Amino acid sequence: MKFYTTTPLYYVNDKPHLGTAYATCMAEVLNQYRQLIGFETLFLTGIDEHGQKIQQTAERRHVSPQAHCDEYAKNFISTWNNLEIDYDIFYRTTDPKHKKAVQDLLTRLNAKGDIYDQNYEGWYCVSDEAFYPEDDLIDGKSPTGKPVEKISEKNYFFKMSKYQQILIDHIKQNPDFIQPESKKNEVLGFLAKPLEDLSISRPKSRIHWGIEIPFDKEHVTYVWVDALSNYAAAVGMFDDPKMFEMWWNQATVQHIIGKDILITHTVYWTTLLLAADLKLPDQIFAHGWILNKDSGKMSKSEGEVIDPLQVVKDVGLESFKYYISSEIRFGNDAPFSQEMVVQKINSDLANTLGNLLSRSTNLIAKFYDGAIPAGTSDMTELKTVGLNLFSKVKNAILKNEPHTATAEVISYLKMINQFVETKAPWKMAKENPEEAAIVLRDTLEALRISAILLSPILKQKMSSLFTSLDYKFDKSKAEEECNNWYGLTTHAKITKPEPLFPRQ
């Protein structure tokens, strides 16, 4: 089973912010979980480097557009490395391979008769890199509130309207194609109106920083057509049939995007693929926005744009990843603050997981010379629930619900704590050490399974937990290990760990 996950290509006019870090970290967490539940995965992220905004920014900085892009590419790579994003492909649209793929796509569509040219007049927004009809303007500005200018020029157009009904039918026949459900309904609402054809070029007299139209050297490709092509180009569209078959045609392909770029991905990209006779992605999933603690949108003007690396410095990388994975329902908007992260970590991890590990290892050190005791139990509720936990987590991940997956594990950890409280092995060890040994061994087994199922988020912390239990974790055997109640080695020496999650 193969699963190909992509993030959007981020625009290189700024450093990564909390929103881009959120999207990338969530894609990475889902990718790690998919590896855990048995998928062979491919994970792509990258940067979008063409367009008028890049050209103008480079001119203001008195550098070439390529030099500007190279500098900002380093910012993204550095940030993703610091956030321990384990991507397979970092894609850049200035790569010669990408240029060829875009031109091959346009050549194919032109040969099919799906591209035509005509003079066009409309209101153009440089910030949005888009034309708007006058009826769409709000107080003389674009729908996003950005300045527009009246432009008249020759453009090439893609016959997007030709594929409107085919796309509508596909969406209705494949209920998971666009998720969450509210976003699918939004796209169907957009498609209920007549679909206009898409302008796919800009004249070089206005924009030179782009991929040249292969059949007209005086025009460059519209930045969205350029950027969207990356997902298929990265896995061999038109130039590597074997790779394309493996990672596009046979794999499950999922695009994770922000809700603000929903239409470009679900309508522009899909109709381009339909015109090129290529498979559509299996799912386009639109996540929500990270809001301020008062549930308002973060904005530069209010000084609320948050540096993700500063957040990580303040609360810890794995604490940050755990918060966004467990507290936020993927697909929804959600408030964020450092205080919220600390509260969540103290509740779920310090109190529920960390204290349980410390408590159980202390008791084994005290009563069993620091070695995992022998003894086996009959089928208990703790064991029954533990052996079903992997399937619950797997089902949640298949539905893009890491918050549900983590909630299942935390619920189980609370059950383990209650089990320990009820059995009171610190009392039992004095009167019935054999029975207490079974209680503590079952506790450690339950902890082991829980740690396996949190390891995609808490890699380093759970690695420390495994080390303290003298347990060698093999991700490729995660399901087998979670379905084996006695996976720890009897009489193995445990080590008392440093507090995994010191209270903040």
Side-chain angles (χ1 to χ4, degrees):
M1 300 185 295
K2 290 180 169 57
F3 205 111
Y4 174 35
T5 304
T6 72
T7 73
L9 292 194
Y10 302 114
Y11 213 52
V12 292
N13 249 11
D14 207 347
K15 296 178 180 179
H17 52 71
L18 189 63
T20 53
Y22 167 65
T24 312
C25 285
M26 289 304 300
E28 201 260 346
V29 163
L30 284 168
N31 193 61
Q32 291 293 322
Y33 265 115
R34 286 171 186 139
Q35 291 175 11
L36 191 81
I37 64 177
F39 283 99
E40 181 183 354
T41 66
L42 187 70
F43 177 28
L44 173 145
T45 189
I47 50 175
D48 175 7
E49 303 176 83
H50 289 129
Q52 192 169 4
K53 284 187 288 186
I54 301 297
Q55 179 180 310
Q56 291 179 346
T57 301
E59 288 170 353
R60 286 195 299 270
R61 298 183 65 216
H62 305 291
V63 298
S64 71
Q66 187 64 62
H68 170 83
C69 292
D70 290 345
E71 178 183 337
Y72 277 81
K74 292 177 183 177
N75 288 335
F76 277 88
I77 291 170
S78 175
T79 299
W80 297 160
N81 287 344
N82 285 324
L83 294 178
E84 297 181 8
I85 304 298
D86 189 16
Y87 55 81
D88 299 293
I89 302 171
F90 185 86
Y91 198 88
R92 297 186 59 178
T93 57
T94 52
D95 191 303
K97 173 186 173 181
H98 178 71
K99 174 182 176 181
K100 182 179 184 303
V102 171
Q103 292 181 327
D104 286 348
L105 175 63
L106 293 176
T107 297
R108 175 179 285 211
L109 300 187
N110 191 47
K112 192 176 181 180
D114 279 346
I115 292 178
Y116 63 92
D117 68 274
Q118 71 174 26
N119 289 326
Y120 184 79
E121 182 173 286
W123 294 96
Y124 188 73
C125 175
V126 173
S127 181
D128 297 345
E129 304 257 13
F131 282 104
Y132 293 104
E134 189 150 2
D135 289 348
D136 286 355
L137 301 185
I138 301 173
D139 297 328
K141 295 184 178 181
S142 77
T144 60
K146 304 296 194 312
V148 295
E149 57 181 314
K150 193 71 169 286
I151 286 179
S152 178
E153 63 190 20
K154 171 185 170 182
N155 275 188
Y156 285 91
F157 286 80
F158 162 56
K159 293 181 181 178
M160 189 161 67
S161 57
K162 176 180 173 181
Y163 299 94
Q164 180 171 7
Q165 190 58 50
I166 300 172
L167 178 58
I168 291 171
D169 292 344
H170 182 84
I171 294 170
K172 290 181 176 179
Q173 291 164 12
N174 297 273
D176 292 331
F177 175 52
I178 300 172
Q179 287 295 311
E181 188 77 12
S182 60
K183 300 307 173 191
K184 178 178 73 176
N185 294 335
E186 184 178 327
V187 174
L188 286 172
F190 178 84
L191 290 170
K193 298 178 289 186
L195 191 60
E196 295 183 355
D197 290 341
L198 178 67
S199 171
I200 61 165
S201 76
R202 302 291 183 261
K204 280 187 178 177
S205 58
R206 185 160 62 85
I207 307 171
H208 62 78
W209 183 239
I211 295 175
E212 190 175 273
I213 295 287
F215 39 84
D216 189 334
K217 297 183 182 301
E218 298 305 314
H219 284 252
V220 296
T221 307
Y222 172 44
V223 67
W224 271 112
V225 176
D226 169 354
L228 289 165
S229 303
N230 91 90
Y231 304 122
V235 291
M237 178 178 69
F238 306 138
D239 78 335
D240 190 338
K242 184 177 179 181
M243 185 180 189
F244 195 70
E245 180 65 24
M246 181 184 302
W247 286 108
W248 190 268
N249 291 333
Q250 294 183 8
T252 299
V253 179
Q254 182 193 50
H255 300 326
I256 291 175
I257 62 167
K259 65 178 184 177
D260 53 328
I261 51 176
L262 179 68
I263 298 302
T264 55
H265 282 77
T266 57
V267 179
Y268 295 8
W269 176 225
T270 54
T271 52
L272 285 165
L273 287 167
L274 288 169
D277 299 313
L278 298 175
K279 170 196 160 185
L280 297 188
D282 296 275
Q283 186 176 85
I284 301 172
F285 190 98
H287 66 78
W289 286 333
I290 295 292
L291 307 174
N292 62 31
K293 62 182 179 181
D294 300 316
S295 295
K297 188 176 179 182
M298 294 186 185
S299 67
K300 288 183 180 179
S301 60
E302 298 295 325
E304 292 180 313
V305 175
I306 297 176
D307 179 358
L309 297 184
Q310 186 60 49
V311 172
V312 167
K313 182 178 179 182
D314 291 340
V315 302
L317 175 58
E318 294 189 349
S319 294
F320 168 69
K321 286 188 176 181
Y322 180 80
Y323 176 84
I324 61 174
S325 302
S326 62
E327 186 67 15
I328 300 173
R329 184 184 181 92
F330 197 42
N332 290 0
D333 295 344
F336 179 91
S337 71
Q338 182 174 327
E339 293 77 14
M340 291 175 174
V341 177
V342 170
Q343 183 178 10
K344 182 69 173 176
I345 298 308
N346 284 344
S347 172
D348 285 8
L349 302 182
N351 294 351
T352 306
L353 174 56
N355 282 352
L356 180 62
L357 177 64
S358 177
R359 194 180 194 184
S360 55
T361 53
N362 280 342
L363 289 171
I364 290 173
K366 180 176 181 180
F367 293 107
Y368 301 96
D369 196 27
I372 296 175
T376 58
S377 63
D378 295 327
M379 185 62 72
T380 63
E381 185 182 5
L382 189 70
K383 183 176 178 181
T384 302
V385 174
L387 292 176
N388 287 323
L389 198 57
F390 181 91
S391 63
K392 290 181 178 179
V393 167
K394 178 178 180 178
N395 290 336
I397 295 304
L398 291 175
K399 293 188 289 186
N400 303 299
E401 295 181 0
H403 70 284
T404 300
T406 54
E408 292 284 2
V409 180
I410 296 303
S411 175
Y412 184 55
L413 285 165
K414 290 178 178 177
M415 180 183 176
I416 306 169
N417 275 290
Q418 186 58 51
F419 170 79
V420 172
E421 282 294 321
T422 301
K423 294 294 185 179
W426 53 90
K427 296 180 181 177
M428 189 185 295
K430 299 173 183 176
E431 302 168 1
N432 190 343
E434 291 80 12
E435 188 66 25
I438 294 172
V439 169
L440 289 170
R441 188 179 180 194
D442 280 355
T443 299
L444 293 186
E445 289 296 338
L447 264 171
R448 178 186 63 86
I449 290 173
S450 300
I452 289 172
L453 296 172
L454 289 176
S455 64
I457 306 170
L458 305 169
K459 296 179 189 176
Q460 299 303 322
K461 296 291 189 180
M462 295 305 96
S463 178
S464 296
L465 186 150
F466 295 142
T467 298
S468 72
L469 301 183
D470 194 27
Y471 173 65
K472 305 295 188 293
F473 172 50
D474 182 349
K475 184 194 285 190
S476 68
K477 297 179 180 178
E479 183 170 12
E480 178 185 337
E481 289 292 294
C482 286
N483 292 331
N484 173 22
W485 185 244
Y486 289 118
L488 295 173
T489 303
T490 305
H491 305 307
K493 282 284 187 178
I494 63 171
T495 54
K496 181 172 168 51
E498 293 294 319
L500 286 181
F501 303 99
R503 288 184 61 83
Q504 299 185 42

